[in-house]
Amino acid sequence: MLCGVDVSAGVEAHPGPLLHIVGGRSQLVTRRHTAAAPHHRVHVVPEAGMRPHTEQPAEVSVLIETFLREKGLT
């Protein structure tokens, strides 16, 4: 699915805040699939696979809430 797909330039060019959340156990989506610019944030959820939002929903919710609060988006 993501094999050979490189969207890093487009993601890196995104001017606004961006939170990448990836599962540490995912064999499909890994940190290398993120294109974090200095104003982006990447967080790896160690105990999750490719769907951290369903595998570790409490941790992901806290990450999102914190990120939105820090960026003044809540």
Side-chain angles (χ1 to χ4, degrees), residues 21-53:
I21 301 174
V22 296
R25 294 183 176 173
S26 178
Q27 295 178 9
L28 179 63
V29 180
T30 65
R31 189 177 176 110
R32 73 179 178 86
H33 292 106
T34 65
H39 57 286
H40 297 169
R41 183 175 303 159
V42 179
H43 185 86
V44 178
V45 179
E47 299 300 317
M50 68 180 254
R51 294 183 184 95
H53 60 288

mmCIF file of all heavy atoms in Angstrom, residues 21-53:
data_model
loop_
_atom_site.group_PDB
_atom_site.id
_atom_site.type_symbol
_atom_site.label_atom_id
_atom_site.label_comp_id
_atom_site.label_asym_id
_atom_site.label_seq_id
_atom_site.Cartn_x
_atom_site.Cartn_y
_atom_site.Cartn_z
ATOM 1 N N ILE A 21 1.120 10.440 14.420
ATOM 2 C CA ILE A 21 1.091 9.415 15.459
ATOM 3 C C ILE A 21 1.237 8.079 14.757
ATOM 4 O O ILE A 21 0.417 7.740 13.901
ATOM 5 C CB ILE A 21 -0.221 9.462 16.273
ATOM 6 C CG1 ILE A 21 -0.388 10.828 16.933
ATOM 7 C CG2 ILE A 21 -0.229 8.344 17.310
ATOM 8 C CD1 ILE A 21 -1.725 11.019 17.637
ATOM 9 N N VAL A 22 2.286 7.352 15.091
ATOM 10 C CA VAL A 22 2.531 6.051 14.469
ATOM 11 C C VAL A 22 2.714 4.996 15.547
ATOM 12 O O VAL A 22 3.149 5.295 16.658
ATOM 13 C CB VAL A 22 3.762 6.077 13.536
ATOM 14 C CG1 VAL A 22 3.541 7.011 12.372
ATOM 15 C CG2 VAL A 22 5.021 6.461 14.276
ATOM 16 N N GLY A 23 2.371 3.766 15.207
ATOM 17 C CA GLY A 23 2.533 2.655 16.137
ATOM 18 C C GLY A 23 3.932 2.080 16.068
ATOM 19 O O GLY A 23 4.461 1.833 14.983
ATOM 20 N N GLY A 24 4.532 1.868 17.212
ATOM 21 C CA GLY A 24 5.876 1.331 17.277
ATOM 22 C C GLY A 24 5.989 -0.094 16.775
ATOM 23 O O GLY A 24 7.064 -0.539 16.389
ATOM 24 N N ARG A 25 4.888 -0.817 16.754
ATOM 25 C CA ARG A 25 4.893 -2.210 16.283
ATOM 26 C C ARG A 25 4.351 -2.357 14.866
ATOM 27 O O ARG A 25 4.231 -3.464 14.367
ATOM 28 C CB ARG A 25 4.084 -3.076 17.229
ATOM 29 C CG ARG A 25 4.702 -3.194 18.601
ATOM 30 C CD ARG A 25 3.898 -4.127 19.452
ATOM 31 N NE ARG A 25 4.550 -4.299 20.749
ATOM 32 C CZ ARG A 25 4.009 -4.961 21.737
ATOM 33 N NH1 ARG A 25 2.826 -5.519 21.609
ATOM 34 N NH2 ARG A 25 4.657 -5.074 22.874
ATOM 35 N N SER A 26 4.013 -1.260 14.234
ATOM 36 C CA SER A 26 3.477 -1.325 12.875
ATOM 37 C C SER A 26 4.560 -1.758 11.902
ATOM 38 O O SER A 26 5.678 -1.243 11.928
ATOM 39 C CB SER A 26 2.925 0.028 12.442
ATOM 40 O OG SER A 26 2.462 -0.054 11.104
ATOM 41 N N GLN A 27 4.211 -2.687 11.041
ATOM 42 C CA GLN A 27 5.124 -3.111 9.987
ATOM 43 C C GLN A 27 4.810 -2.401 8.679
ATOM 44 O O GLN A 27 5.531 -2.550 7.706
ATOM 45 C CB GLN A 27 5.048 -4.625 9.798
ATOM 46 C CG GLN A 27 5.530 -5.383 11.015
ATOM 47 C CD GLN A 27 5.422 -6.880 10.849
ATOM 48 O OE1 GLN A 27 5.138 -7.389 9.781
ATOM 49 N NE2 GLN A 27 5.653 -7.593 11.928
ATOM 50 N N LEU A 28 3.743 -1.638 8.671
ATOM 51 C CA LEU A 28 3.330 -0.927 7.462
ATOM 52 C C LEU A 28 3.652 0.561 7.551
ATOM 53 O O LEU A 28 4.273 1.124 6.670
ATOM 54 C CB LEU A 28 1.834 -1.122 7.202
ATOM 55 C CG LEU A 28 1.259 -0.411 5.986
ATOM 56 C CD1 LEU A 28 1.912 -0.938 4.711
ATOM 57 C CD2 LEU A 28 -0.242 -0.596 5.924
ATOM 58 N N VAL A 29 3.206 1.187 8.619
ATOM 59 C CA VAL A 29 3.429 2.622 8.799
ATOM 60 C C VAL A 29 4.485 2.796 9.888
ATOM 61 O O VAL A 29 4.277 2.391 11.023
ATOM 62 C CB VAL A 29 2.129 3.349 9.199
ATOM 63 C CG1 VAL A 29 2.385 4.831 9.368
ATOM 64 C CG2 VAL A 29 1.048 3.097 8.167
ATOM 65 N N THR A 30 5.601 3.382 9.519
ATOM 66 C CA THR A 30 6.690 3.583 10.474
ATOM 67 C C THR A 30 7.093 5.055 10.496
ATOM 68 O O THR A 30 6.597 5.856 9.707
ATOM 69 C CB THR A 30 7.923 2.732 10.105
ATOM 70 O OG1 THR A 30 8.445 3.201 8.855
ATOM 71 C CG2 THR A 30 7.574 1.265 10.005
ATOM 72 N N ARG A 31 8.003 5.376 11.366
ATOM 73 C CA ARG A 31 8.462 6.760 11.478
ATOM 74 C C ARG A 31 9.028 7.269 10.149
ATOM 75 O O ARG A 31 8.945 8.438 9.832
ATOM 76 C CB ARG A 31 9.490 6.888 12.597
ATOM 77 C CG ARG A 31 9.835 8.316 12.895
ATOM 78 C CD ARG A 31 10.800 8.425 14.071
ATOM 79 N NE ARG A 31 11.152 9.813 14.240
ATOM 80 C CZ ARG A 31 10.752 10.560 15.249
ATOM 81 N NH1 ARG A 31 10.007 10.049 16.187
ATOM 82 N NH2 ARG A 31 11.103 11.820 15.309
ATOM 83 N N ARG A 32 9.583 6.371 9.326
ATOM 84 C CA ARG A 32 10.142 6.814 8.053
ATOM 85 C C ARG A 32 9.065 7.305 7.090
ATOM 86 O O ARG A 32 9.355 7.974 6.122
ATOM 87 C CB ARG A 32 10.988 5.714 7.402
ATOM 88 C CG ARG A 32 10.204 4.576 6.811
ATOM 89 C CD ARG A 32 11.159 3.550 6.170
ATOM 90 N NE ARG A 32 10.429 2.434 5.646
ATOM 91 C CZ ARG A 32 9.884 2.390 4.445
ATOM 92 N NH1 ARG A 32 10.003 3.410 3.631
ATOM 93 N NH2 ARG A 32 9.223 1.324 4.045
ATOM 94 N N HIS A 33 7.807 6.990 7.369
ATOM 95 C CA HIS A 33 6.710 7.480 6.539
ATOM 96 C C HIS A 33 6.263 8.886 6.940
ATOM 97 O O HIS A 33 5.405 9.459 6.303
ATOM 98 C CB HIS A 33 5.515 6.526 6.602
ATOM 99 C CG HIS A 33 5.783 5.215 5.947
ATOM 100 N ND1 HIS A 33 5.996 4.068 6.670
ATOM 101 C CD2 HIS A 33 5.910 4.887 4.645
ATOM 102 C CE1 HIS A 33 6.223 3.085 5.833
ATOM 103 N NE2 HIS A 33 6.185 3.547 4.605
ATOM 104 N N THR A 34 6.832 9.398 7.992
ATOM 105 C CA THR A 34 6.489 10.755 8.412
ATOM 106 C C THR A 34 7.490 11.724 7.811
ATOM 107 O O THR A 34 8.641 11.386 7.601
ATOM 108 C CB THR A 34 6.490 10.890 9.947
ATOM 109 O OG1 THR A 34 7.806 10.682 10.426
ATOM 110 C CG2 THR A 34 5.544 9.905 10.592
ATOM 111 N N ALA A 35 7.031 12.885 7.510
ATOM 112 C CA ALA A 35 7.903 13.916 6.935
ATOM 113 C C ALA A 35 7.831 15.130 7.835
ATOM 114 O O ALA A 35 7.223 16.120 7.508
ATOM 115 C CB ALA A 35 7.470 14.252 5.516
ATOM 116 N N ALA A 36 8.407 15.005 8.981
ATOM 117 C CA ALA A 36 8.257 16.057 9.974
ATOM 118 C C ALA A 36 9.167 17.249 9.698
ATOM 119 O O ALA A 36 10.377 17.126 9.666
ATOM 120 C CB ALA A 36 8.539 15.508 11.369
ATOM 121 N N ALA A 37 8.556 18.363 9.463
ATOM 122 C CA ALA A 37 9.268 19.637 9.374
ATOM 123 C C ALA A 37 9.479 20.113 10.810
ATOM 124 O O ALA A 37 8.893 19.556 11.747
ATOM 125 C CB ALA A 37 8.447 20.633 8.569
ATOM 126 N N PRO A 38 10.287 21.141 11.004
ATOM 127 C CA PRO A 38 10.540 21.612 12.371
ATOM 128 C C PRO A 38 9.269 21.960 13.158
ATOM 129 O O PRO A 38 9.242 21.826 14.375
ATOM 130 C CB PRO A 38 11.416 22.850 12.160
ATOM 131 C CG PRO A 38 12.105 22.601 10.865
ATOM 132 C CD PRO A 38 11.101 21.854 10.020
ATOM 133 N N HIS A 39 8.215 22.380 12.474
ATOM 134 C CA HIS A 39 6.991 22.758 13.188
ATOM 135 C C HIS A 39 5.987 21.596 13.272
ATOM 136 O O HIS A 39 4.868 21.777 13.700
ATOM 137 C CB HIS A 39 6.341 23.976 12.516
ATOM 138 C CG HIS A 39 6.022 23.771 11.072
ATOM 139 N ND1 HIS A 39 6.992 23.767 10.098
ATOM 140 C CD2 HIS A 39 4.849 23.562 10.444
ATOM 141 C CE1 HIS A 39 6.425 23.565 8.923
ATOM 142 N NE2 HIS A 39 5.134 23.430 9.108
ATOM 143 N N HIS A 40 6.408 20.408 12.888
ATOM 144 C CA HIS A 40 5.567 19.208 13.016
ATOM 145 C C HIS A 40 6.053 18.390 14.209
ATOM 146 O O HIS A 40 7.179 18.520 14.641
ATOM 147 C CB HIS A 40 5.663 18.341 11.763
ATOM 148 C CG HIS A 40 5.167 19.007 10.524
ATOM 149 N ND1 HIS A 40 5.376 18.487 9.286
ATOM 150 C CD2 HIS A 40 4.481 20.163 10.314
ATOM 151 C CE1 HIS A 40 4.841 19.264 8.366
ATOM 152 N NE2 HIS A 40 4.299 20.301 8.973
ATOM 153 N N ARG A 41 5.186 17.548 14.697
ATOM 154 C CA ARG A 41 5.540 16.683 15.816
ATOM 155 C C ARG A 41 5.245 15.235 15.432
ATOM 156 O O ARG A 41 4.203 14.939 14.859
ATOM 157 C CB ARG A 41 4.734 17.058 17.056
ATOM 158 C CG ARG A 41 5.129 16.218 18.260
ATOM 159 C CD ARG A 41 4.429 16.640 19.520
ATOM 160 N NE ARG A 41 4.703 18.050 19.778
ATOM 161 C CZ ARG A 41 3.946 18.803 20.546
ATOM 162 N NH1 ARG A 41 2.873 18.306 21.117
ATOM 163 N NH2 ARG A 41 4.246 20.070 20.737
ATOM 164 N N VAL A 42 6.160 14.343 15.776
ATOM 165 C CA VAL A 42 5.982 12.904 15.545
ATOM 166 C C VAL A 42 5.976 12.214 16.894
ATOM 167 O O VAL A 42 6.833 12.477 17.740
ATOM 168 C CB VAL A 42 7.119 12.318 14.677
ATOM 169 C CG1 VAL A 42 6.922 10.821 14.489
ATOM 170 C CG2 VAL A 42 7.190 13.014 13.337
ATOM 171 N N HIS A 43 4.991 11.348 17.099
ATOM 172 C CA HIS A 43 4.957 10.572 18.336
ATOM 173 C C HIS A 43 4.753 9.103 17.979
ATOM 174 O O HIS A 43 3.853 8.762 17.227
ATOM 175 C CB HIS A 43 3.834 11.038 19.263
ATOM 176 C CG HIS A 43 3.871 10.330 20.573
ATOM 177 N ND1 HIS A 43 4.648 10.759 21.627
ATOM 178 C CD2 HIS A 43 3.285 9.195 20.988
ATOM 179 C CE1 HIS A 43 4.512 9.922 22.638
ATOM 180 N NE2 HIS A 43 3.684 8.956 22.264
ATOM 181 N N VAL A 44 5.611 8.253 18.525
ATOM 182 C CA VAL A 44 5.505 6.813 18.329
ATOM 183 C C VAL A 44 4.841 6.208 19.560
ATOM 184 O O VAL A 44 5.290 6.434 20.685
ATOM 185 C CB VAL A 44 6.895 6.175 18.104
ATOM 186 C CG1 VAL A 44 6.770 4.666 17.940
ATOM 187 C CG2 VAL A 44 7.574 6.792 16.889
ATOM 188 N N VAL A 45 3.763 5.475 19.344
ATOM 189 C CA VAL A 45 3.075 4.766 20.425
ATOM 190 C C VAL A 45 3.673 3.357 20.455
ATOM 191 O O VAL A 45 3.369 2.533 19.586
ATOM 192 C CB VAL A 45 1.551 4.724 20.189
ATOM 193 C CG1 VAL A 45 0.861 3.973 21.318
ATOM 194 C CG2 VAL A 45 0.986 6.138 20.058
ATOM 195 N N PRO A 46 4.560 3.088 21.414
ATOM 196 C CA PRO A 46 5.341 1.850 21.396
ATOM 197 C C PRO A 46 4.525 0.563 21.357
ATOM 198 O O PRO A 46 4.885 -0.386 20.677
ATOM 199 C CB PRO A 46 6.163 1.912 22.684
ATOM 200 C CG PRO A 46 6.134 3.327 23.117
ATOM 201 C CD PRO A 46 4.877 3.915 22.565
ATOM 202 N N GLU A 47 3.417 0.527 22.061
ATOM 203 C CA GLU A 47 2.637 -0.710 22.181
ATOM 204 C C GLU A 47 1.563 -0.873 21.109
ATOM 205 O O GLU A 47 0.716 -1.749 21.226
ATOM 206 C CB GLU A 47 1.997 -0.792 23.563
ATOM 207 C CG GLU A 47 3.009 -0.810 24.694
ATOM 208 C CD GLU A 47 3.955 -2.004 24.614
ATOM 209 O OE1 GLU A 47 3.487 -3.122 24.342
ATOM 210 O OE2 GLU A 47 5.164 -1.801 24.806
ATOM 211 N N ALA A 48 1.598 -0.045 20.068
ATOM 212 C CA ALA A 48 0.556 -0.105 19.042
ATOM 213 C C ALA A 48 1.131 -0.563 17.708
ATOM 214 O O ALA A 48 2.305 -0.384 17.424
ATOM 215 C CB ALA A 48 -0.094 1.265 18.878
ATOM 216 N N GLY A 49 0.240 -1.108 16.894
ATOM 217 C CA GLY A 49 0.591 -1.478 15.533
ATOM 218 C C GLY A 49 0.234 -0.336 14.595
ATOM 219 O O GLY A 49 0.424 0.833 14.933
ATOM 220 N N MET A 50 -0.362 -0.687 13.436
ATOM 221 C CA MET A 50 -0.631 0.360 12.447
ATOM 222 C C MET A 50 -1.875 1.191 12.744
ATOM 223 O O MET A 50 -2.153 2.159 12.045
ATOM 224 C CB MET A 50 -0.719 -0.227 11.038
ATOM 225 C CG MET A 50 -1.905 -1.115 10.772
ATOM 226 S SD MET A 50 -1.870 -1.720 9.079
ATOM 227 C CE MET A 50 -3.151 -0.745 8.352
ATOM 228 N N ARG A 51 -2.606 0.850 13.782
ATOM 229 C CA ARG A 51 -3.806 1.619 14.159
ATOM 230 C C ARG A 51 -3.734 2.039 15.630
ATOM 231 O O ARG A 51 -4.509 1.566 16.461
ATOM 232 C CB ARG A 51 -5.050 0.778 13.908
ATOM 233 C CG ARG A 51 -5.279 0.480 12.456
ATOM 234 C CD ARG A 51 -6.570 -0.309 12.266
ATOM 235 N NE ARG A 51 -6.725 -0.668 10.876
ATOM 236 C CZ ARG A 51 -6.343 -1.826 10.338
ATOM 237 N NH1 ARG A 51 -5.776 -2.749 11.104
ATOM 238 N NH2 ARG A 51 -6.521 -2.071 9.063
ATOM 239 N N PRO A 52 -2.822 2.930 15.959
ATOM 240 C CA PRO A 52 -2.673 3.308 17.364
ATOM 241 C C PRO A 52 -3.943 3.901 17.956
ATOM 242 O O PRO A 52 -4.199 3.752 19.151
ATOM 243 C CB PRO A 52 -1.527 4.315 17.366
ATOM 244 C CG PRO A 52 -1.301 4.696 15.956
ATOM 245 C CD PRO A 52 -1.886 3.626 15.096
ATOM 246 N N HIS A 53 -4.757 4.554 17.124
ATOM 247 C CA HIS A 53 -5.992 5.173 17.629
ATOM 248 C C HIS A 53 -7.008 4.139 18.105
ATOM 249 O O HIS A 53 -7.840 4.445 18.954
ATOM 250 C CB HIS A 53 -6.604 6.080 16.558
ATOM 251 C CG HIS A 53 -6.952 5.365 15.301
ATOM 252 N ND1 HIS A 53 -5.979 4.911 14.420
ATOM 253 C CD2 HIS A 53 -8.139 5.017 14.767
ATOM 254 C CE1 HIS A 53 -6.570 4.318 13.396
ATOM 255 N NE2 HIS A 53 -7.879 4.369 13.594
#
